[in-house]
Amino acid sequence: NAGVMQNPRHLVRRRGQEARLRCSPVKGHSHVYWYRQLPEEGLKFMVYLQKENIIDESGMPKERFSAEFPKEGPSILRIQQVVRGDSAAYFCASSPSRGGSPLHFGNGTRLTVT
Amino acid sequence: GESVGLHLPTLSVQEGDNSIINCAYSNSASDYFIWYKQESGKGPQFIIDIRSNMDKRQGQRVTVLLNKTVKHLSLQIAATQPGDSAVYFCAESYSNTPLVFGKGTRLSVIA
């Protein structure tokens, strides 16, 4: 079984451009989480989605960031008008249920804003 | 020994020794705890979890201990191997809310 697949693995964007990060969860998992990680730091929760619904976006910046998990296809984390401070590793995780069980993580997308 | 670096605390152990990685969690209401291992350039990998109605759980070469009185979680790795070198994160959750991660500890195994 394939695990969580994220692409691209590395993404370079100039300031002001848009970044689009994709995540395909483990087959059969309908719960998706996005986390951000800065170097030498822990993972910070951003958003939790179920199919077609945002359940918890308490960790998402109010502007420029959005996420979706459509009925068909991968979950997308979109960052508009990127700034240098957006440079980080973005990890997606999935689970078969809400809470109380391990999250399965992908290997992340490393975003560099120049 | 254990030292605090600029960002991540680091634990250095000799190959074959046991390792103990500690974590102080913040929310006394947390009811689910989990340890992850993260190798360079990869995503976190699940090691072991424990619910708040337990104080100890064992896996293969790993044991997690939970002390709710002092809000402390530890991960014990028996017979540490070079492949155990990584950053280890504890995470907590309450009432099925998204996992909140700690800062992490870097484990360095000396061959």
Side-chain angles (χ1 to χ4, degrees):
Chain A
N1 284 332
V4 174
M5 303 300 292
Q6 289 188 249
N7 66 82
R9 287 298 312 274
H10 300 274
L11 182 62
V12 179
R13 285 287 178 266
R14 291 198 178 116
R15 279 178 295 169
Q17 291 185 318
E18 178 180 290
R20 212 171 259 252
L21 288 62
R22 287 177 291 277
C23 168
S24 296
V26 172
K27 189 176 180 181
H29 286 189
S30 59
H31 300 257
V32 165
Y33 302 77
W34 285 92
Y35 284 80
R36 177 162 68 176
Q37 185 178 36
L38 296 173
E40 300 288 295
E41 292 193 9
L43 287 84
K44 303 294 185 191
F45 167 74
M46 298 181 74
V47 61
Y48 160 43
L49 310 101
Q50 279 185 267
K51 283 286 187 181
E52 300 183 272
N53 290 304
I54 295 174
I55 307 299
D56 183 344
E57 55 182 347
S58 58
M60 284 274 271
K62 293 288 182 270
E63 297 177 348
R64 302 189 298 108
F65 285 72
S66 62
E68 63 177 15
F69 188 17
K71 188 176 180 182
E72 301 291 339
S75 175
I76 306 288
L77 179 68
R78 184 177 171 210
I79 311 172
Q80 295 178 291
Q81 299 174 333
V82 296
V83 300
R84 288 215 173 115
D86 297 333
S87 295
Y90 292 84
F91 290 95
C92 170
S94 73
S95 70
S97 61
R98 176 174 186 167
S101 62
L103 300 185
H104 300 255
F105 281 86
N107 282 327
T109 292
R110 276 141 190 88
L111 172 66
T112 302
V113 179
T114 62
Chain B
E2 183 171 336
S3 64
V4 177
L6 280 176
H7 295 283
L8 285 178
T10 299
L11 177 65
S12 298
V13 297
Q14 291 286 340
E15 181 180 359
D17 287 353
N18 296 334
S19 302
I20 300 176
I21 301 171
N22 296 305
C23 175
Y25 64 91
S26 56
N27 189 348
S28 57
S30 290
D31 54 16
Y32 179 70
F33 305 87
I34 191 167
W35 281 98
Y36 281 94
K37 171 187 180 183
Q38 187 177 28
E39 296 173 288
S40 182
K42 295 187 177 180
Q45 177 186 355
F46 167 72
I47 302 173
I48 192 167
D49 58 0
I50 189 168
R51 299 186 193 283
S52 59
N53 61 351
M54 302 173 70
D55 52 22
K56 181 179 180 179
R57 191 166 186 220
Q58 288 184 288
Q60 188 177 11
R61 273 201 315 121
V62 294
T63 301
V64 56
L65 298 176
L66 174 62
N67 185 332
K68 294 182 287 293
T69 303
V70 294
K71 294 191 288 187
H72 185 267
L73 193 70
S74 69
L75 177 70
Q76 300 177 2
I77 304 174
T80 312
Q81 302 167 359
D84 294 327
S85 293
V87 177
Y88 289 80
F89 293 98
C90 66
E92 60 182 301
S93 169
Y94 77 96
S95 192
N96 296 329
T97 54
L99 288 173
V100 174
F101 280 77
K103 195 164 186 177
T105 296
R106 186 182 306 281
L107 176 64
S108 179
V109 181
I110 305 164

